[in-house]
Amino acid sequence: MNKRSLGKKAAVSAAASPLAVTALAGCAQKGDDSSAAGGGGKDGKPVQVKVFKSHMGVGTIPDANNAHVKYIAEKTGVEYHLITTPPGSEPTEFLNLTIASGDLPDILRPIGGVEQTLIKQGGALPLDDLLPKYAPNVWKSIPKEAWDVVRSASPDNHIYYVPKVFLVPERAPMIRKDWLDKLGLAMPKTAEEYKEVLRAFRDKDPNGNGVKDELPTSGREFGKWMDHLFAMYGIAMWEGNPEWDLYDGKIQYAGITPNMKAAIGFIRDLYKEKLLDNETFLNKGEVWQAKLNNNLVGGWYHLPANLKDRVTAMRKGAPDAYVVGMPPPKVDGFKGFVTMKSMGEPEWIIPTSAKNKAEASLKLLDFFYDPSNDEFVRFGIEGLQHQVVNGKKVLLPPEDSRPLALGMRNLTTKQDMDIRIQETIPENMQKMVKDIFEVSTADARRIAGDGPPNTVYEGFPDIQSHKLFQEYLTKIVIGDWPIEKFDEFVDRWKKGGGDAVTKRVQEWYDKVKK
């Protein structure tokens, strides 16, 4: 099978969702005459469960003879068939096409807000009674508070999906300590000190190649992944999108606050001085990552847990490359923090039409949440997912020709992260990653708007997509528009549905906090 070869590029947009839900609610599984009973189907063979998961990365889709698939089937009586997005397809469109076609997954990772469409139109299976019975490890390991958030997202207060739970800060501002050390600079404590550090990164050749190619800090298209520049101003941001948080005692969209106007003014100044990569709003993900990996960027915002491959690449050209967490520099009049979202994001949902596979699907999911399977979940099969070096399991890097391994657990505690660092990060990087988490934890705060359902945006897709914010952010920062245009944005946002959405978010917040 070719890399992630799963079908034609999706061509159905979210507008297909009514058809999708009809399919979910009414279509029977083709050729499905197996029972979901533990230990396999009626014939004693494993129950086959189709699992949809996007953003799987590099690799091929495993078949039934794959050792990882067979191991889990032996342990659970469930044989997983992985479905993911074909190369070049937009994940949300592909998922809608898959649902609308009637060739439905038995359990899926929802994206693009599809879970709320399913819940609203009867296409999602309620899991309240099924989870404790068939997925006890999932049920007991996820905090009650997270289940309460999930219930708040449905009109009938039922549990329709398993949430993602991340109890440590997932993202962090980071900076090259080897660059600071080479230039004799201390960690910046104020906004002005931060500017001075960025100027030194720009002018004093910290990467040592004799070329003035350093990018003091950088972000990605639409202003994503530069949340550290907003964090200084006490703004709730998530991958470049303003979130909901408490401002002046009321829950509010962070994008229209005085904090945001001040932050955009600061970022505009950085851009003008070329302290912010002037290609930021053009950088696609792979371009941005290449700049980091090739020792061109001094500071950025991303996932500390994913630093292994990045630092390994850096050290090919800079053997002393070392990354540390950067506390948000202080700005007069604002209290900075790192945004933390811990629970409530949809992770797994079972279509109503796959009800007869629900027991098997939940049993499969429970395998990944069972503590006794932790080592297998992390390392998989020797030769496929890991190799043994000096008696220690070491994960193999992803390759186009290597089969992907399904992972379904998305619950992380501090203990989980400590174990993950210890067992999957090279020894010469473990302290680095632990220290970054320690810094980000000290600066992190869980925002008030952690988990509102996508239904709060119903009828206002432009508010949900942040398109208006992204337009004003981009044009103000690059100098096409003056900072005073921000006030026009606030007015347009409110009149364009922002006030109505704010009311709905407040109602959700009042409900979940009862």
Side-chain angles (χ1 to χ4, degrees):
M1 180 179 293
N2 294 331
K3 178 184 173 184
R4 296 167 66 187
S5 178
L6 294 164
K8 297 179 181 179
K9 181 176 179 180
V12 178
S13 70
S17 57
L19 173 60
V21 175
T22 300
L24 277 166
C27 288
Q29 294 292 332
K30 297 176 182 178
D32 175 26
D33 58 359
S34 62
S35 164
K42 293 177 181 178
D43 56 4
K45 294 181 180 179
V47 178
Q48 296 181 351
V49 166
K50 291 187 289 185
V51 182
F52 172 82
K53 186 177 182 181
S54 66
H55 304 101
M56 285 293 292
V58 173
T60 61
I61 301 301
D63 59 25
N65 294 317
N66 177 270
H68 192 273
V69 174
K70 292 173 73 172
Y71 179 90
I72 293 177
E74 290 169 3
K75 295 293 183 180
T76 65
V78 181
E79 180 184 286
Y80 74 81
H81 286 208
L82 183 59
I83 304 168
T84 191
T85 315
S89 294
E90 199 285 318
T92 304
E93 292 180 350
F94 175 75
L95 180 56
N96 274 296
L97 178 62
T98 301
I99 294 171
S101 72
D103 187 16
L104 308 174
D106 300 306
I107 184 170
L108 61 96
R109 193 178 192 181
I111 49 179
V114 70
E115 76 286 342
Q116 285 300 326
T117 304
L118 305 184
I119 291 169
K120 184 177 179 181
Q121 300 192 26
L125 188 68
L127 304 175
D128 310 58
D129 298 328
L130 299 176
L131 281 162
K133 187 174 182 180
Y134 301 121
N137 291 292
V138 177
W139 181 251
K140 67 186 180 184
S141 62
I142 291 178
K144 178 181 179 298
E145 184 179 3
W147 292 125
D148 289 344
V149 170
V150 173
R151 286 190 175 97
S152 77
S154 67
D156 56 9
N157 213 39
H158 279 305
I159 292 172
Y160 285 102
Y161 57 82
V162 174
K164 167 186 172 181
V165 176
F166 217 96
L167 300 179
V168 295
E170 191 175 2
R171 295 101 194 274
M174 291 178 272
I175 194 166
R176 288 286 294 269
K177 186 175 186 301
D178 55 313
W179 284 22
L180 291 172
D181 291 347
K182 181 176 181 179
L183 302 180
L185 299 170
M187 182 69 71
K189 294 182 179 180
T190 67
E192 192 52 46
E193 288 180 5
Y194 183 51
K195 275 189 177 181
E196 290 301 322
V197 165
L198 296 180
R199 290 177 182 125
F201 284 176
R202 180 193 62 193
D203 298 333
K204 296 185 178 181
D205 194 27
N207 68 11
N209 66 356
V211 180
K212 197 171 182 179
D213 56 0
E214 286 84 357
L215 304 168
T217 192
S218 182
R220 279 163 48 173
E221 56 184 345
F222 308 116
K224 294 185 177 297
W225 291 112
M226 57 181 196
D227 297 15
H228 56 301
L229 303 178
F230 299 96
M232 301 162 57
Y233 289 82
I235 298 170
M237 294 288 283
W238 196 252
E239 295 184 22
N241 292 330
E243 291 289 332
W244 297 86
D245 202 13
L246 295 177
Y247 295 92
D248 296 326
K250 295 182 179 180
I251 199 159
Q252 183 57 273
Y253 180 64
I256 64 169
T257 60
N259 308 54
M260 181 60 77
K261 184 175 183 179
I264 292 176
F266 176 76
I267 296 167
R268 176 188 172 95
D269 291 343
L270 297 185
Y271 185 93
K272 186 176 181 180
E273 285 195 57
K274 292 185 167 53
L275 303 179
L276 171 65
D277 176 9
N278 276 194
E279 294 181 346
T280 283
F281 296 100
L282 303 174
N283 285 335
K284 293 192 177 296
E286 61 272 16
V287 173
W288 179 78
Q289 291 183 48
K291 289 179 176 181
L292 268 63
N293 293 352
N294 290 320
N295 293 296
L296 298 178
V297 183
W300 64 95
Y301 187 90
H302 209 242
L303 310 170
N306 290 3
L307 265 179
K308 181 187 74 170
D309 292 341
R310 190 166 326 287
V311 173
T312 298
M314 289 176 183
R315 288 180 176 173
K316 292 179 181 178
D320 297 327
Y322 199 92
V323 181
V324 294
M326 184 184 76
K330 296 185 183 303
V331 181
D332 289 342
F334 300 94
K335 187 175 182 179
F337 68 93
V338 172
T339 296
M340 185 172 173
K341 290 172 68 175
S342 297
M343 52 191 66
E345 290 186 66
E347 188 66 17
W348 294 105
I349 193 166
I350 296 177
T352 302
S353 60
K355 181 178 180 179
N356 61 331
K357 292 286 189 75
E359 180 179 338
S361 295
L362 290 174
K363 189 172 184 180
L364 175 66
L365 181 63
D366 202 58
F367 173 88
F368 291 90
Y369 281 75
D370 186 339
S372 66
N373 298 323
D374 280 354
E375 185 172 357
F376 176 81
V377 170
R378 268 192 298 276
F379 292 104
I381 300 292
E382 184 177 358
L384 287 181
Q385 285 84 44
H386 77 268
Q387 60 184 347
V388 178
V389 179
N390 298 324
K392 184 177 180 180
K393 293 180 180 179
V394 178
L395 288 172
L396 292 167
E399 292 182 3
D400 287 348
S401 60
R402 183 173 295 131
L404 294 159
L406 175 64
M408 297 185 77
R409 175 186 167 104
N410 204 342
L411 183 150
T412 303
T413 64
K414 184 181 184 303
Q415 181 181 14
D416 293 327
M417 185 55 70
D418 288 344
I419 294 172
R420 176 178 172 181
I421 292 170
Q422 181 179 344
E423 296 190 349
T424 65
I425 301 292
E427 289 186 14
N428 64 350
M429 296 185 195
Q430 288 181 12
K431 185 178 186 305
M432 176 184 71
V433 176
K434 286 181 180 178
D435 288 349
I436 293 172
F437 272 110
E438 186 174 338
V439 170
S440 63
T441 298
D443 296 317
R445 177 172 65 76
R446 184 182 169 208
I447 58 174
D450 184 8
N454 285 324
T455 48
V456 299
Y457 299 105
E458 194 169 90
F460 303 104
D462 288 345
I463 298 293
Q464 182 177 7
S465 69
H466 308 279
K467 285 184 179 179
L468 192 65
F469 169 78
Q470 290 166 355
E471 178 186 6
Y472 277 79
L473 169 69
T474 302
K475 291 185 176 180
I476 292 173
V477 167
I478 68 176
D480 284 357
W481 289 349
I483 188 65
E484 289 74 21
K485 290 277 281 188
F486 179 82
D487 299 328
E488 177 184 284
F489 157 68
V490 173
D491 185 61
R492 287 184 62 188
W493 184 89
K494 289 183 175 182
K495 291 177 179 177
D499 283 343
V501 174
T502 300
K503 182 180 178 182
R504 294 174 184 173
V505 175
Q506 184 67 57
E507 290 170 351
W508 165 83
Y509 182 72
D510 293 340
K511 178 181 176 182
V512 80
K513 291 302 176 184
K514 282 184 179 178

